[in-house]
Amino acid sequence: MDLAQMTGWLAAAAAIIAMLQKSDLRLKQGLIIHTVLYGIHFALLGLPTAVVSCVIALARITLSIYTRSLLCAAALIIISAAMALALSRSTVDILPLTASVVLTLSLFRFDGIKLRLGLLAGSILWLIHNVYVQSWGGICLETCFCLSTLWGLWTMVREQNEKPKKEICL
């Protein structure tokens, strides 16, 4: 296995581990590691557009740790939209743009279960895109991403339901 593919598999593993985290901060830190590895993977494959996409995603995730600003989210959405419009070749290219908007809003505005539902929605949009363009690695990654997100959601909801309820005495 060459270095580019090995880095891609490490990126996928980092994404899965990230999505299993219950802490929002650890989730975002894991996604940073995933995005850096994914960017290196694309650079080694000679795909500069994908590298730029990873740089934008890296900025989005990193900034979302420090701010929940709608202005910052809007700026990143505008940058993503400009990139998508400049690079789009077909209508299916709207799916990654829509995923970017969903992911940006989720990272900047939500936490806990809502954050993970937004990440799941973004992954589903990417999965549909990857099925359409027959990106087998992308299909594998997004499927694992969706499954690990669902598992993380399930464990969070289960733990939330197991917490003792406070009784109200009248």
Side-chain angles (χ1 to χ4, degrees):
M1 179 180 306
D2 69 8
L3 184 59
Q5 295 305 322
M6 189 175 4
T7 308
W9 284 111
L10 287 173
I16 292 166
I17 292 168
M19 296 311 293
L20 294 174
Q21 302 304 308
K22 294 175 192 159
S23 159
D24 290 349
L25 178 60
R26 284 194 208 139
L27 166 70
K28 290 178 181 182
Q29 290 169 335
L31 289 175
I32 288 170
I33 293 167
H34 154 74
T35 304
V36 168
L37 289 169
Y38 221 32
I40 293 168
H41 166 71
F42 289 135
L44 292 170
L45 290 174
L47 301 169
T49 304
V51 173
V52 170
S53 177
C54 285
V55 169
I56 294 169
L58 185 60
R60 176 179 61 221
I61 298 163
T62 304
L63 289 171
S64 76
I65 291 173
Y66 299 102
T67 182
R68 294 177 68 104
S69 165
L70 278 178
L71 183 62
C72 189
L76 286 164
I77 289 169
I78 290 168
I79 291 168
S80 294
M83 284 289 300
L85 292 174
L87 302 172
S88 290
R89 293 172 297 193
S90 70
T91 54
V92 76
D93 290 338
I94 197 73
L95 290 170
L97 171 60
T98 307
S100 178
V101 171
V102 168
L103 293 168
T104 300
L105 290 174
S106 298
L107 285 164
F108 278 88
R109 303 306 293 172
F110 301 139
D111 54 19
I113 292 172
K114 288 181 182 178
L115 168 62
R116 283 153 184 82
L117 287 172
L119 294 175
L120 179 62
S123 288
I124 290 169
L125 289 167
W126 270 108
L127 181 59
I128 294 166
H129 172 268
N130 291 339
V131 167
Y132 183 82
V133 300
Q134 298 180 347
S135 169
W136 306 115
I139 292 168
C140 179
L141 174 64
E142 294 302 334
T143 300
C144 290
F145 218 70
C146 288
L147 291 173
S148 59
T149 302
L150 287 169
W151 178 262
L153 278 166
W154 181 74
T155 59
M156 287 180 78
V157 169
R158 189 184 69 208
E159 283 181 10
Q160 213 173 43
N161 290 336
E162 288 176 356
K163 288 182 181 174
K165 308 260 190 265
K166 291 184 181 179
E167 292 185 31
I168 300 174
C169 297
L170 300 175

